[in-house]
Amino acid sequence: MFMEKNYYFVIGQKNLMVAEAVKFLQEKNAPFRCLEEPYIFNKDEEDALINQGYVPYYVNVAYRSSYDGYYQINDSFLYKLYQMFGVSSATTDWHYDVMMFCLGTLTWNWSANLQRFVQLGYDKGYVQKMQTENRLALGIDEQAEQTAEQAVNEALKNAVKPYDYLVVRWNYPAKNCDLETFLPILDRVFWVQHFVNVLIITPDNAFYYGYKNVALDIFQNANCSTFYFGITSGAFYPLNEDSIGRAVQFIRQKTAELKKTGLLW
C-alpha cells in the first residue's frame, strides 16, 4: 500500500464520488471512519488519532472544537485517493472523476456543470443513472424521489411550453435549503429546461434556482423572514400563499425580460 503518510480518513457527508472512494478504501484495507449527521469530528477525537500515529484526512466533515472550526470539502477526493495509493485511473474511473464536478459537493454552478457534461457527449441515460446514484449516496430517501416525480409531472402538466420557468409544489418536508436537498426536483427539471429557472415550494420553505437577481427580487417583495442567496439560487423561510403568488409573478415578469434580452435560452 503506497501512501506518503499514515492517513486515517474521516468521512462525513457522502456524495457519489465519496461513496466510490469509500469502496476503494475498503479494497485497500485503509483505516477510515464514516460519520453520521451532523458529521462532526471533535478535537479530542482528532488528538486520539494523532496520538496513535495517524494523520487525519477529512472529507466533507464539519469539525468543531473550542479552538477553531472549519468545514473541509474535498471535491476531488477520489482522484486524490488514486494518487495517494499510486493507482492510475481507468476510463470508467475517469468518468466518476468528471462526475465529481457535476454531481459531487455542489460548490460550483450545478446547472452549468451538468450542461458541460452533456456537451462532452455523455449519454442522457448514463447521466441520469449517475444523478440517481448520487442522490442515493447523499442519503435522499424514497419518499423524496416518489413525491418529486409526482411534483415535477404535475408542474409540467400545468405549465405552458416552452418551459421558460416552472413552479413546483413539492409535498416533502425539506427542513433545510441546501441545494442537495432539492436535487430530486432539480435533476428532473434539468432535462426539461437546462437553465432550471424554477421555484420549488415545500411545506416548510421555498427554493429558487435560476438567476440571483430574480431570487433577490422575490425576497424584497415577498413576506419571508429569512433569506439566503448564492450565485444561482435563493432560499426562503417561510413563504406564505400570498408571497408565493407574488414570487410567481416576479418569476414570470423577469423571465419575459430575460427572453427579450436574449439571456434566457
Side-chain angles (χ1 to χ4, degrees):
M1 183 169 65
F2 171 81
M3 280 197 295
E4 292 182 358
K5 298 180 180 180
N6 189 23
Y7 286 112
Y8 189 103
F9 299 93
V10 184
I11 313 295
Q13 183 184 41
K14 290 182 185 177
N15 54 43
L16 181 56
M17 301 304 96
V18 176
E20 288 297 315
V22 167
K23 293 179 185 177
F24 182 83
L25 289 172
Q26 291 172 327
E27 292 171 2
K28 297 296 182 180
N29 293 316
F32 72 94
R33 174 184 166 191
C34 291
L35 304 178
E36 301 294 331
E37 284 192 272
Y39 312 117
I40 292 174
F41 196 76
N42 62 41
K43 180 67 174 174
D44 290 340
E45 291 174 304
E46 180 184 65
D47 288 342
L49 283 181
I50 294 172
N51 290 336
Q52 294 173 51
Y54 289 114
V55 177
Y57 192 104
Y58 300 101
V59 183
N60 293 358
V61 173
Y63 170 49
R64 297 287 180 267
S65 75
S66 58
Y67 304 104
D68 57 7
Y70 62 85
Y71 186 72
Q72 179 175 332
I73 298 174
N74 293 287
D75 285 328
S76 56
F77 178 52
L78 183 61
Y79 180 67
K80 288 179 180 177
L81 202 57
Y82 288 147
Q83 290 181 316
M84 288 179 182
F85 283 85
V87 175
S88 299
S89 298
T91 303
T92 53
D93 297 324
W94 181 246
H95 284 200
Y96 281 112
D97 202 42
V98 175
M99 291 301 292
M100 164 189 72
F101 295 104
C102 303
L103 299 176
T105 305
L106 303 165
T107 55
W108 294 285
N109 186 334
W110 161 82
S111 177
N113 288 335
L114 267 180
Q115 290 173 36
R116 175 60 179 158
F117 197 71
V118 172
Q119 290 164 2
L120 288 171
Y122 288 86
D123 177 74
K124 175 182 176 181
Y126 176 79
V127 179
Q128 286 180 314
K129 176 178 177 290
M130 301 297 276
Q131 286 178 310
T132 301
E133 290 181 4
N134 184 61
R135 296 196 302 273
L136 182 63
L138 286 166
I140 293 171
D141 60 33
E142 187 60 31
Q143 180 191 1
E145 295 289 356
Q146 292 178 354
T147 55
E149 184 76 18
Q150 296 167 357
V152 171
N153 288 342
E154 192 66 23
L156 293 175
K157 186 167 61 177
N158 295 326
V160 178
K161 290 185 179 181
Y163 302 120
D164 296 323
Y165 70 92
L166 281 176
V167 178
V168 180
R169 289 182 177 269
W170 188 25
N171 187 25
Y172 180 75
K175 298 299 183 182
N176 65 64
C177 276
D178 296 335
L179 192 145
E180 288 93 337
T181 300
F182 297 92
L183 285 180
I185 299 291
L186 294 174
D187 279 351
R188 289 170 166 85
V189 172
F190 174 81
W191 298 101
V192 178
Q193 210 284 64
H194 281 197
F195 188 76
V196 199
N197 185 26
V198 59
L199 178 66
I200 304 169
I201 301 160
T202 81
D204 300 293
N205 49 44
F207 183 87
Y208 169 80
Y209 188 94
Y211 288 91
K212 177 179 179 179
N213 289 342
V214 176
L216 188 58
D217 280 340
I218 293 172
F219 171 67
Q220 291 174 337
N221 294 276
N223 180 26
C224 51
S225 58
T226 307
F227 172 62
Y228 160 80
F229 67 90
I231 296 174
T232 55
S233 62
F236 312 92
Y237 297 83
L239 206 63
N240 59 30
E241 283 300 321
D242 178 61
S243 294
I244 289 171
R246 278 181 281 169
V248 173
Q249 180 180 347
F250 278 111
I251 293 174
R252 186 183 299 119
Q253 174 188 332
K254 291 296 181 179
T255 299
E257 294 174 5
L258 291 167
K259 288 180 69 175
K260 287 180 181 179
T261 58
L263 292 176
L264 186 71
W265 57 275

